[in-house]
DNA sequence: GATATTTATTGCAAAATGCAAGTTATTTAA
DNA sequence: TTAAATAACTTGCATTTTGCAATAAATATC
């Protein structure tokens, strides 16, 4: 089990590079960060700023500016929550949805190409395994408690 | 197969967050980027700057400065190649190796905790699947040729 | 031996980041 | 019910990161 880290490091790096290439849709050039942001807003149901920022592991002030930029581009919409006007609910505009879908499609196309080197059974197994692994990662909450003797005090972990 | 992107997006995000928490060893605070850099130097055999920069998908000028910073920290070493003195070969110093190993260990510990929610068979299957997938991603070279009708011309993809 | 190419480094200007402080809205409590 | 405390964001500012253009140094090509 010692090469687990190696396997995941290589995989995430490759997927990251791949993701960098899926950022241009309908004349909109989207940064990797912005693409994650769109993805997360698409997936959730009118999330608040904090919810998305935390999901992405981004500082709220940085996130606030990223949102501003996407609002200026006309890709997302910010609405005050009716029940608590402090919170801003995020949603995709129509162009935003189109861009999100376009990125989705490009990513899936690229994944499909990689999948073409796998047998249907291998594809099936991979996806199922990743699904199970995601659930395990969700249960495992050890992130940000390094509990590491050598840990420096100014390791804020965020 | 439509949820492939979703599965990988969630996984890479979670692994990324996890990775952010594994960056403090022996009093050295290491950024995520620096950790990838150390990892890649550790894995290769006296790689050149260009090799590592390309592997990481980083601009060479940015990479040059990242290297400078790690050299100043005393974690890596830069040597002119004997056969071609233009190229700089990178290697880990002793403290650098210790830090790289420390990060490896922390990551593996965290992965182990996630694995504890899986059966041994599921672990086995997951690792095997990822290994096969990595090979497939290596063969698939479609990255950076979006071939996308809506693609903007200034999408340099790197 | 002169020119072109390759590898890496700086200059600079733009973009991203995060802490501290501020604003507006809601909750708590006196 | 109103004054203080808390919560959700936003902005000021200083630092860091990034990448293109230009440069320096070494090698290759002709």
């Amino acid at each position: 089990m010692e090469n687990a880290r190696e396997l995941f490091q290589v995989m995430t790096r490759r997927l990251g590079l791949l993701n960098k290439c899926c950022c241009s849709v309908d004349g909109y050039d989207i940064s990797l960060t912005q693409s994650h942001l769109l993805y997360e807003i698409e997936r959730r149901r009118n999330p608040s700023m904090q919810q998305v920022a935390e999901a992405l592991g981004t500082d709220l002030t940085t996130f606030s500016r990223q949102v501003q930029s996407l609002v200026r581009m006309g890709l997302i919409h910010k609405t005050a929550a009716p029940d608590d006007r402090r919170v801003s609910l995020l949603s995709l505009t129509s162009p935003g949805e189109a861009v999100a879908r376009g990125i989705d499609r490009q990513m899936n196309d690229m994944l499909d190409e990689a999948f073409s080197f796998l047998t249907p059974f291998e594809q099936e197994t991979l996806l199922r395994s990743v699904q199970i692994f995601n659930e395990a990662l969700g249960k495992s909450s050890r992130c940000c408690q390094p509990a590491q003797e050598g840990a420096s005090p100014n390791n804020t972990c965020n």
Side-chain angles (χ1 to χ4, degrees), chain A:
Chain A
M1 202 64 58
E2 257 318 301
N3 59 341
R5 199 230 164 173
E6 162 119 14
L7 289 173
F8 287 115
Q9 183 97 355
V10 168
M11 181 179 60
T12 53
R13 167 142 52 256
R14 289 205 168 132
L15 288 174
L17 290 177
L18 207 141
N19 215 336
K20 264 193 187 171
C21 304
C22 293
C23 295
S24 199
V25 181
D26 294 342
Y28 290 98
D29 274 344
I30 299 296
S31 79
L32 188 56
T33 313
Q34 291 173 327
S35 133
H36 278 253
L37 215 157
L38 289 183
Y39 177 83
E40 205 59 31
I41 296 177
E42 183 189 31
R43 210 165 70 103
R44 294 168 183 256
R45 181 175 188 68
N46 278 10
S48 76
M49 305 258 306
Q50 273 196 338
Q51 287 174 333
V52 182
E54 188 186 343
L56 298 177
T58 312
D59 182 83
L60 188 61
T61 72
T62 300
F63 183 76
S64 171
R65 279 182 262 252
Q66 290 169 347
V67 165
Q68 283 172 25
S69 141
L70 285 173
V71 167
R72 270 196 300 272
M73 293 172 77
L75 296 180
I76 69 179
H77 206 77
K78 213 166 48 166
T79 330
D83 55 322
D84 183 343
R85 289 174 50 209
R86 286 173 303 182
V87 331
S88 292
L89 303 181
L90 301 174
S91 55
L92 297 182
T93 62
S94 297
E97 279 178 9
V99 168
R101 270 199 305 269
I103 295 175
D104 268 356
R105 190 164 44 76
Q106 289 184 48
M107 281 296 289
N108 274 316
D109 284 354
M110 293 195 160
L111 288 174
D112 278 349
E113 201 210 333
F115 280 7
S116 73
F117 294 100
L118 306 183
T119 68
F121 176 72
E122 286 170 334
Q123 297 176 25
E124 201 66 46
T125 307
L126 172 63
L127 292 180
R128 178 81 190 122
S129 287
V130 169
Q131 189 171 1
I132 295 175
F133 185 46
N134 279 347
E135 288 163 15
L137 283 173
K139 289 178 198 160
S140 162
S141 56
R142 249 199 67 194
C143 181
C144 290
Q145 295 101 27
Q148 184 64 26
E149 62 275 13
S152 153
N154 54 342
N155 171 26
T156 57
C157 241
N158 257 320

